[in-house]
Structures are given as C-alpha cells and as structure tokens.
C-alpha cells in the first residue's frame, strides 16, 4: 500500500500536470489498484509479455472504449434526463450538442465522436444565411478545441456535398486546430469532385480531413450507419466498441519456428488468447459495471447490442521480415512482392480466425479485425500493417503494396502517405492520389504533408540532408557566429514544425 | 518503335498539373553546364568503363553491347559517376505498348503523363506515337499529355506533336544569344520561336526560367523576359527555378547559388512589371 500511496502522491505533486489532468491520472491509478478481470494463467502470461495487449485500458472497464451516440435522438426528441427541450433553431441545436458531448464517455474521458455534423445540422439551416452558418460553426469549432482538446475526438461529414460540409472544411482550414479531427465520407458516385477537391486542398493546408471510402464502409455496416472515430476506427452508430485488444505480430512471429509453424500453431494460439482477454473485459463491462443502465441507453442514444469488439493487430512489417529471415529470404515488407504477399496471407488468416470465433455481447456475434495505429510506447514496431516510416516507396507503389490488406479490416485500417512540400504547389496531385487509393480498395485515405528528406525538386531527387552538408562545407568560412543559435533553432524546428524545414535551410544560406 | 528511357516515375507532382507518370527520355541536344541530370545527356557508346565499378555486377558486355540487369542493381549510381560522356548504362528500351500497359496498371492514380528528359522532343517520333495512342485509347483518352522541353524544335516538329499534346512546359535558358550559347552550346532562336508558336496554339502551360546569379538574373535578361511574356500574354505561368550548385558537375559547381531573398526580389520585380502568374519554389535548398 505505501507504494501505491507514493504513486498517488507523485501525481498530486507533479508540477507538469494541470489540476484536471491530475484528477484524471488519479482516477486511472485508482482503477488500476483494483484486481484485473479474471484471466487464465496462459492469457495472463501473454498479456504480461505484451504479446497480446489491452491498450492499457484499465483494470475495471466501466465504460466502453468508444461510444458513438446517435445524436439525432437528442436533436429530435430532447432529453428528459438532461432536461433538454427539442431544439428549434441552429443556435439551440449547437447548444444541445455542446451539452450532449459532456455526457458521452470513452476510454480517453472525452467523447471520441461528435457526430455526422452535416446530417445533424442541415435540418436547422433552412433560412439561415451562409455567413451565419460560417460564424456559428467557427465559434462551435473553437469551443470544441478549447474545451475538449483531444485529437481522438472526431467529426464526420459527407458523403453528400452540402453547405454545412463545405463550411466545416472552410473553418477547419482556417483555424488549423488539433480538435476536432475530421473525416469526409466520400462516395465517388454522389459526393462530387468539387467537395473532394476542397477536402484535398485542406489536406495540403493542415493534413486534414481524412477521406473514408463510404461505399466500402456502408456495405460493412447496416442502415443505422457507421462513424469514423479516434484513429480511423469504423464503428456502428448508436453503439461503438466495448474494447480494443491487439496482438503484437512480431512477437508471435519470433515464437514460430518457420512460416508453416506460424500459420498452423503459433498465430492461432495467440489469437485464441486475445479472444480470452477480450471476453474477460467485455464480461466485466456488460455484467458488472452497470454501464448499460445509463440514460444513454434508456433514451436511445445508444443500444446495448450495437457494441463491437475491436480485434487489433500491429507490427505486420516486422512479423513478415522475421518470417522472411527464418525462411532465408531477403525481400523486405513493402518492397518485395513475395514479402507483401506473405503479409496479405497473414491478414487473411487473421480474418478467418475472427470470423470463426463466436462472441457474446458483441454486435453481430463476431469481433471485427482492426489494424491498430500504434501507441507512443511502440518503439521499433510499425503500426498496423504499415510500411516502416522512412522506408516507404513512392506513394503510388505504397498504396499498391498495402491495398490488398484493406478488405480484411472492417473496423479500421489506415496508412499515412507522407508527401513532401512540393505538393503544396499542386493540390490536384493529392486529389488524384486520393481517388487512386480509394479506387484501389483503400478504406481510408490519410496524407501528411511534411518535410521529407528526399525531395524531387524539378527533374531530380535530392536529399535535403546532403544539400545541408554541402551548404555547410561551402559556408564554413563565415558561419561560425550563428552556429549555436542555428543548431538550437533547427532542433526546435525539427521537433515542432516540420513544415518549415525548407525555410530553415534558407537561414543557413543567408549567413 | 522504341524510346530510350532513363527513368520512369509513377508519382510526380512537379511535372505538370496533378499526379503524373513521367518518362525521362535519354539524350539531349543541349549541353548545359548547369544540368542536374547530367547522366541523361548522351547515349551510351558501349565503351564498358562502367562494368568494373559495378559492384553487384548488374552491368556486362554482351556481343559488344552494354547489358543491364535491373534486379541486381543497388542504385549506387557509381556507373553514372565514372561515365566519361554523361550517358547512362541503365536505360531501358520501351515501346508504346509497354508504356500503355504501365499506364493502365496505375491508371486511377494518374492525371496524366509527362515526357521529360534529357530532351523529350529529341525522340519526337516516339513522343508523337505514344500521345497518339493515348488519345485513341478509350480508357486513356482522359489523361493529359504534357512535354517538358528546351524548345529546340522547329515548327514542322511541333505540327506533328501539338495535335496530341495538351500542354508544354518550356525552358528558356537565356535571352541574350551569347549567354544562351554559353549556357547550352546552342543559339536560342528556336526556343524563342517555340514560345511564340506554343502560346499561339494555346498549349504553352508554363515558361520555366533557371535563375543563375549574375547570368540569367541581370536587368537585361529580366527585361527581355517581361517583353516576351507580354507578347505571349501577361497571364502566362512563369515558373522561376533557383540555381543550386549541388549535384552539378564541372565549372558550374563553383557558381554562386541563387538565394531565396534574391529570387523573391526577382519575382516582385516581374509582378510589378505586369506578369500575373509568377511562381517561386515551395522547397528551398
């Protein structure tokens, strides 16, 4: 007990935490003083070794990991519990949502889903001028970022082209805030090039929104619909996900003698342990926590039987490279056709395992496979099925190497295509790349405009680091005075503002 | 008919509008000391000097001709550095059918295709045949066909190429005849005539100018540029590239690099003179 008290004391005395952050850390610490939901010895051992992982969700899951309320319920019926009347105009609708968000739990303590905002708000926009919509949404956006500052908090728009979706894109590019995160649901048949073009223009400005492949997602879910939340998770609306556990595929591969052993014994074994972990957590949430007695259920914002279980995997790249090495093959994941095909085979095997496993208290009775996008502690392990950062091929080859995986991950999979800054002069290239990725079967398109070391300036590729070295040699006679400050500025820039790296080289020029 | 291709890219956002597949055709009719792709200038003469420096043994001589095995190549480029004539032993020969097949494989990603170089118009027959085939194929006809050129092509050549071309990016290396000869080894009358011809046909997508301190950024050069653009139409896109001596071989590697401040100053001058679309680099070296 003294140890635990000391840990609590460290939190209350930590000068780097705000009081709200301390309260949150204290609640997590208290939860984790409780015993873990009962696990068999084998599962507990695999969890301890982090071959399987519970995402550190906590020892007593008293709320689902992700909750996606159907906010149309509170907007059309009001709420007895919250004493909210049915909103009559845009101001009242926005106010109702702002109140509603505070009553939606999730693993982060903040809502991860704030709704399909154009569908929700359009009925209140009749007779409201474009300018009024713009001003009200801008204030709404500022409120969200300042009061619910969490990048996992996610808004959805689309697939129709409409005034609210357009205004949200305009405001989002102007404010460039962390929150909310934003996904455009895109349907090539109905969204139109103009809306996608505005979205890809935004990507060049602020690396948002993400673009979801609406026809693929719509076919996975039902008429009630789906939402994209947190790190590109696709989940049922009026439900969500109870839990997310994940398998470290590299650790699984290391425990296999060879590829055959991996597929026939080791992968099915750890897959089974992950199911057991998942069941223990879901059992606690559904049968002990009392969560589903909440007004969210009785008023119909969510339904008890619309919560899926996300069956995550990560470190596909490392797993394939480990198996390739065991087979004496040199081809690397992301670059070699045979290595890529082995990866696709692993995804198919995982999908089959998940399909074959009945789950209680889970939407449609089966978990949903998920390419998990990583935790900050995953050193040396690549998220989901991604190609290790810094070794990616050109964006087209990148998409083509990974597209076959996407069919197997209905609850979410994402690749981040890093595009160098030259793309800023040509947003149409992002538009085209996005269309190509979605047409190739990508469920989600995410691009990040950043300073790559390797840049093609006109007809040629160069490494900015080579040029920097070159510049330093040429300038060594005169650049002694500013070096200290320059180095400090450079370090700070590289850490916090990757987009201005190009300008930093200019500073070197001026000396 | 086959093209000698130095390199193919599936993704380029700097060779015309949208994402473009780019074919860099080997061989150039100019000889620019500032060239950043000097290995695309000449065609290989099978001398074999590169074979001993190729560590993975991707190069060999077969019946007196260089043979290249791409599967062994590690992209070290040692063969390019040893080549005494600025050629490339790693070129591939591609016929129109092969290029169309590659285009189809990547079709949903492409806004269009760009021929660059080297000098694309130096392989005119292939360029015309490829663009004609693209325009005639129902599934490819929506792709735009662009050429990146030094403009050293006469009106007869343009008459063949332009009907199947959507846009041309034209480099003007210098306006002063003497300076042009110094910078390219040739006179500029053809390039300047090409500018007028392309603008008149509505196919001039962009003029490209390499700004070299003290050589192409002088007052006289900039005045000549303004006069040309005003004749072509003040709305003509004018792309200013900044000379950098990195990657340049020979005497120009000692030339001064263009700074961002100076280039912005030039752009301001051009805009003040009435040019409405002056574009400066996004990334600085």
């Amino acid at each position: 007990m003294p140890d635990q008290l000391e840990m609590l004391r460290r939190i209350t005395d930590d000068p780097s935490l705000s009081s709200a952050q301390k309260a949150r850390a204290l609640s997590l610490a208290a939860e984790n003083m409780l015993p873990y939901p009962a696990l068999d010895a084998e599962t507990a051992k695999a969890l301890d070794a982090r071959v399987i992982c519970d995402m550190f969700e906590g020892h007593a899951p008293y709320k689902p990991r992700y909750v996606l309320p159907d906010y149309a319920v509170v907007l059309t019926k009001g709420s007895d519990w919250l004493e909210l009347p049915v909103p009559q105009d845009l101001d009242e609708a926005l106010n109702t949502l702002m109140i509603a968000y505070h009553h939606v739990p999730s693993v982060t303590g903040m809502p991860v889903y704030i709704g399909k905002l154009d569908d929700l708000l359009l009925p209140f926009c009749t007779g409201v001028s474009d300018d009024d919509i713009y001003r009200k949404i801008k204030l709404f956006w500022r409120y969200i970022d300042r009061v619910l500052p969490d990048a996992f908090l996610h808004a959805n728009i689309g697939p129709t082209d409409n005034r609210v979706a357009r205004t949200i894109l305009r405001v989002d590019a102007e404010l460039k805030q962390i929150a909310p995160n934003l996904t455009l649901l895109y349907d090539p048949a109905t969204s139109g090039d103009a809306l996608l073009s505005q979205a890809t223009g935004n990507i060049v400005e602020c690396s948002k929104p993400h673009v979801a492949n609406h026809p693929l997602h719509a076919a996975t879910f039902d008429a009630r619909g789906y939402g994209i939340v947190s790190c590109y998770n696709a989940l049922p609306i009026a439900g969500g996900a109870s839990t997310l556990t994940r398998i470290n595929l590299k650790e699984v591969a290391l425990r296999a003698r060879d590829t055959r052993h991996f597929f026939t014994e080791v992968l099915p074994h750890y897959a089974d342990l992950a199911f057991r972990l998942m069941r223990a957590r879901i059992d606690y949430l559904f049968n002990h926590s009392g969560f589903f007695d909440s007004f969210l259920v009785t008023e119909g914002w969510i339904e008890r039987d619309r919560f899926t279980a996300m069956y995550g995997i990560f470190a596909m790249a490392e797993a394939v490279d480990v198996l390739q090495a065991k087979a004496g093959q040199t081809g690397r994941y992301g670059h070699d056709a045979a290595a890529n095909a082995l990866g696709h085979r692993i995804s198919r095997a995982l999908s089959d395992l998940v399909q074959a496993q009945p789950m209680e208290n889970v939407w449609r009775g089966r978990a949903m496979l998920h390419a998990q996008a990583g935790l900050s502690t995953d050193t040396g392990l690549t998220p989901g099925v991604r190609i290790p950062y810094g070794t990616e091929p050109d964006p087209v080859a990148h998409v083509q190497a990974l597209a076959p995986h996407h069919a197997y991950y209905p609850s979410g999979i994402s690749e981040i295509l890093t595009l160098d800054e030259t793309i800023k002069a040509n947003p149409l290239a992002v538009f085209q790349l996005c269309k190509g990725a979605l047409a190739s079967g990508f469920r989600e398109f995410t691009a990040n405009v950043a300073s790559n070391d390797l840049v093609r300036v006109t007809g040629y590729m160069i490494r900015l680091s080579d040029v920097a070295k070159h510049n330093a040699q040429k300038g060594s006679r005169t650049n002694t005075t500013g070096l200290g400050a320059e180095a400090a500025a450079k370090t700070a820039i590289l850490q916090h503002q990757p987009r201005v790296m190009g300008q930093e080289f200019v500073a070197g020029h001026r000396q | 008919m086959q093209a000698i291709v130095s390199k193919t890219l599936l993704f380029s956002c700097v060779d015309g509008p949208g994402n473009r597949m780019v074919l860099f055709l080997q061989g150039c009719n100019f000889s620019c000391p500032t060239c950043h792709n000097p290995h695309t200038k000449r065609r290989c003469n099978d001398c074999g000097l590169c074979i001993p420096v190729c560590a993975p043994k991707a190069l060999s001589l077969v019946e007196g001709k260089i043979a290249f095995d791409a599967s062994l190549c590690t992209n070290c480029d040692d063969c390019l550095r040893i080549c005494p004539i600025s050629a490339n032993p790693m070129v591939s020969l591609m016929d129109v059918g092969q290029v169309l097949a590659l285009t189809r494989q990547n079709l949903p990603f492409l806004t269009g295709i760009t021929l660059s170089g080297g000098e694309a118009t130096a392989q005119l027959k292939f360029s015309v045949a490829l663009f004609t085939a693209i325009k005639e194929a129902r599934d490819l006809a929506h792709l735009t066909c662009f050429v990146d050129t030094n403009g050293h092509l006469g009106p007869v050549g343009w008459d063949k190429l332009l009907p199947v071309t959507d846009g041309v990016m034209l480099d003007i290396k210098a306006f002063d005849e003497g300076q042009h000869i110094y910078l390219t080894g040739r006179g500029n009358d053809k390039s300047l005539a090409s500018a007028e011809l392309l603008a008149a046909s509505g196919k001039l997508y962009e003029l490209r100018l390499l700004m070299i301190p003290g050589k192409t950024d002088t007052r006289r050069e900039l005045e000549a540029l303004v006069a040309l653009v005003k004749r072509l139409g003040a709305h003509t896109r004018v792309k200013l590239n900044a000379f950098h001596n990195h990657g340049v071989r020979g005497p120009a590697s000692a030339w001064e690099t263009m700074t961002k401040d100076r280039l912005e100053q030039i752009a301001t001058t051009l805009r003040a003179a009435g040019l409405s679309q002056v574009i400066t680099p996004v990334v600085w070296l």
Side-chain angles (χ1 to χ4, degrees):
Chain A
M1 212 50 178
D3 273 4
Q4 291 184 328
L5 289 179
E6 213 170 280
M7 182 173 71
L8 298 183
R9 181 67 74 194
R10 269 204 305 277
I11 295 171
T12 59
D13 292 357
D14 188 336
S16 68
L17 296 177
S18 71
S19 54
Q21 288 166 330
K22 287 177 186 179
R24 168 104 181 112
L26 286 170
S27 80
L28 287 174
E31 182 186 340
N32 289 340
M33 287 175 190
L34 295 169
Y36 206 90
L39 295 177
D40 63 90
E42 223 177 351
T43 307
K45 194 178 149 203
L47 177 61
D48 255 7
R50 290 286 154 188
V51 184
I52 59 175
C53 170
D54 60 0
M55 302 291 292
F56 307 96
E57 279 176 0
H59 289 194
Y62 57 90
K63 57 196 185 308
R65 181 178 181 87
Y66 300 126
V67 177
L68 286 75
D70 183 351
Y71 292 107
V73 171
V74 67
L75 290 181
T76 53
K77 296 182 184 163
S79 168
D80 287 344
W81 177 265
L82 294 175
E83 298 175 48
L84 290 173
V86 178
Q88 301 300 319
D89 60 24
L90 185 56
D91 282 329
E92 290 181 13
L94 288 169
N95 185 258
T96 299
L97 287 176
M98 283 154 65
I99 293 167
Y101 296 153
H102 271 271
H103 300 274
V104 177
S106 84
V107 69
T108 64
M110 294 189 197
V112 292
Y113 180 64
I114 60 169
K116 212 151 161 280
L117 292 176
D118 45 3
D119 283 1
L120 294 171
L121 297 177
L122 274 170
F124 298 95
C125 290
T126 315
V128 184
S129 73
D130 285 352
D131 193 50
D132 276 347
I133 294 178
Y134 167 73
R135 284 188 301 108
K136 289 174 203 293
I137 285 181
K138 200 163 171 177
L139 290 176
F140 179 57
W141 233 235
R142 183 198 287 170
Y143 163 84
I144 290 167
D145 183 67
R146 304 308 191 277
V147 178
L148 302 166
D150 190 315
F152 296 117
L153 179 144
H154 221 112
N156 291 185
I157 53 174
T160 61
D161 187 354
N162 61 71
R163 291 206 290 163
V164 172
R166 294 274 188 139
T167 306
I168 284 174
L169 286 171
R170 179 180 161 199
V171 167
D172 203 50
E174 259 177 50
L175 297 180
K176 299 182 173 63
Q177 299 172 161
I178 286 176
N181 210 332
L182 183 64
T183 288
L184 167 68
L185 314 181
Y186 173 74
D187 184 342
T190 57
S191 302
D193 282 357
L195 184 65
L196 183 63
S197 171
Q198 191 183 354
T200 48
N202 274 29
I203 291 174
V204 171
E205 285 282 320
C206 58
S207 295
K208 282 196 285 177
H210 315 281
V211 182
N213 193 329
H214 180 67
L216 277 186
H217 288 300
T220 302
F221 294 88
D222 58 14
R224 195 85 190 259
Y226 70 95
I228 305 290
V229 310
S230 188
C231 282
Y232 333 109
N233 309 321
L235 298 170
I237 281 182
S242 304
T243 185
L244 163 57
T245 60
R246 59 176 194 165
I247 303 177
N248 180 338
L249 292 177
K250 180 189 181 184
E251 289 299 320
V252 176
L254 286 171
R255 286 161 172 75
R257 284 191 304 275
D258 54 29
T259 302
R260 189 183 142 77
H261 188 223
F262 175 85
F263 279 110
T264 56
E265 286 180 42
V266 187
L267 183 64
H269 173 66
Y270 284 100
D272 183 51
L273 298 186
F275 285 121
R276 293 187 209 172
L277 174 63
M278 218 170 211
R279 284 199 182 95
R281 302 188 60 81
I282 292 170
D283 172 67
Y284 187 90
L285 176 69
F286 277 77
N287 300 325
H288 301 278
S289 77
F291 173 81
F292 292 99
D293 301 331
S294 131
F295 79 97
L296 295 171
V297 178
T298 53
E299 291 191 0
W301 300 34
I302 55 174
E303 291 174 19
R304 183 186 163 100
D305 59 5
R306 290 183 64 82
F307 283 81
T308 188
M310 298 171 69
Y311 194 91
I313 58 95
F314 73 115
M316 174 69 82
E318 288 76 17
V320 167
D321 287 347
V322 164
L323 294 175
Q324 285 280 95
K326 286 181 195 265
Q329 303 290 325
T330 54
R332 309 271 298 177
Y333 184 75
H335 300 271
D336 175 74
N340 291 344
L342 176 57
H344 304 152
R345 192 178 152 205
I346 295 172
S347 284
R348 191 172 62 236
L350 285 161
S351 175
D352 291 346
L353 287 165
V354 169
Q355 283 309 310
Q357 192 70 224
M359 300 285 288
E360 216 178 307
N361 288 320
V362 168
W363 184 60
R364 289 179 168 173
R366 293 289 185 282
M368 293 174 86
L369 193 57
H370 177 68
Q372 200 277 323
L375 286 173
S376 54
T377 50
D378 292 342
T379 318
L381 299 166
T382 305
V385 303
R386 290 182 195 163
I387 300 170
Y389 181 73
T391 69
E392 303 98 323
D394 75 71
V396 173
H398 190 158
V399 170
Q400 288 169 336
L402 297 179
H405 286 292
H406 280 232
Y408 300 117
Y409 295 88
S411 66
I413 174 169
S414 62
E415 324 305 342
I416 295 180
L417 301 172
T418 303
L419 306 172
D420 75 57
E421 289 174 293
T422 54
I423 202 121
K424 287 182 181 174
N426 187 358
L428 180 61
V430 183
F431 172 88
Q432 193 69 53
L433 185 62
C434 176
K435 280 201 145 184
L438 298 179
S440 305
F442 261 41
R443 301 183 89 85
E444 173 95 14
F445 174 82
T446 293
N448 187 23
V449 178
S451 45
N452 278 3
D453 190 30
L454 197 61
V455 174
R456 224 167 67 77
V457 177
T458 53
Y460 57 102
M461 301 286 302
I462 50 130
R463 282 193 186 281
L464 291 178
S465 54
D466 285 352
V467 179
K469 251 184 265 167
H470 173 87
N471 286 345
Q473 281 162 5
K474 296 249 166 173
S476 59
R477 193 169 50 82
T478 54
N479 68 1
T480 47
T481 45
L483 266 183
E486 171 85 9
K490 178 170 173 172
T491 313
I493 283 166
L494 293 180
Q495 281 169 357
H496 303 299
Q497 282 184 288
R499 283 186 214 168
V500 298
M501 184 165 161
Q503 292 168 27
E504 191 266 334
F505 283 110
V506 176
H509 265 309
R510 288 202 193 104
Q511 289 177 356
Chain B
M1 187 184 325
Q2 289 183 315
I4 307 171
V5 181
S6 177
K7 192 182 179 79
T8 307
L9 293 179
L10 300 181
F11 181 84
S12 166
C13 60
V14 295
D15 293 287
N19 177 39
R20 315 197 64 81
M21 187 168 100
V22 186
L23 262 57
F24 294 92
L25 303 188
Q26 182 74 21
C28 187
N29 41 23
F30 281 8
S31 184
C32 305
T34 56
C35 186
H36 279 88
N37 296 316
H39 62 276
T40 63
K41 282 185 187 175
R42 302 282 164 262
R43 297 198 184 160
C44 177
N45 60 4
D46 305 302
C47 74
L49 274 178
C50 52
I51 294 171
V53 302
C54 181
K57 305 205 180 309
L59 294 168
S60 58
L61 269 184
V62 178
E63 294 176 2
K65 296 275 178 197
I66 287 285
F68 170 60
D69 183 347
S71 68
L72 297 176
C73 177
T74 58
N75 302 308
C76 70
D77 288 351
D78 281 344
C79 55
L80 301 182
R81 278 183 280 275
I82 196 86
C83 180
I85 62 163
S86 294
N88 176 2
M90 301 179 286
V91 295
S92 52
L93 294 176
M94 293 178 88
D95 61 30
V96 171
Q98 284 169 303
V99 179
L100 295 186
L102 191 61
T103 309
R104 288 195 169 97
Q105 260 172 42
N106 300 289
L107 193 54
F109 298 92
L110 299 178
T111 313
I113 184 164
T114 295
L115 294 178
S116 184
E119 171 52 38
T121 63
Q123 299 188 44
L124 186 68
K125 276 189 181 169
F126 174 84
S127 304
V128 173
L130 175 65
F131 286 179
T132 304
I134 288 172
K135 297 293 174 197
E136 282 172 358
R138 190 174 289 179
D139 60 330
L140 304 179
H142 65 282
L143 296 176
T144 52
C145 297
F146 273 61
V147 179
D148 181 5
T149 177
N150 61 27
H152 196 74
L153 182 71
V156 178
W158 286 121
D159 274 352
K160 290 177 185 151
L161 188 56
L162 283 185
V164 286
T165 300
D166 298 288
V168 177
M169 289 154 294
L170 172 65
D171 259 276
I172 300 289
K173 305 287 187 187
F175 289 89
D176 177 78
E177 175 83 0
Q179 186 69 266
H180 195 276
I181 293 172
Y182 174 63
L183 289 175
T184 69
R186 302 241 192 190
N188 60 9
D189 51 331
K190 274 189 172 174
S191 300
L192 293 173
S194 290
E196 310 263 1
L197 183 150
L198 291 168
S201 69
K203 301 274 171 91
L204 181 61
Y205 175 72
E206 178 176 279
L207 279 181
R208 293 181 166 185
L209 291 302
L210 180 64
M211 289 290 118
I212 311 169
K215 295 189 168 57
T216 57
D217 70 339
T218 63
R219 204 172 130 190
R220 281 186 59 189
E221 283 288 314
L222 297 181
E223 281 171 1
L225 170 62
V226 169
L228 173 70
V229 174
K230 287 197 165 167
R231 282 203 303 283
L232 304 180
H235 59 278
T236 305
R237 270 171 70 102
V238 175
K239 172 85 194 292
L240 300 180
N241 287 321
F243 171 73
H244 198 291
N245 50 31
H246 173 78
V248 174
R249 290 187 208 161
S253 63
W255 294 359
E256 196 187 332
T257 286
M258 174 59 67
T259 64
K260 186 179 183 189
D261 282 355
R262 172 65 186 140
L263 197 80
E264 290 297 347
Q265 206 178 42
I266 296 167
T268 305
T269 306
L270 296 176
R271 288 179 189 125
L275 276 51
S276 65
Q277 280 206 81
V278 179
I279 295 151
T280 53
V282 175
V283 174
W284 277 86
L285 307 181

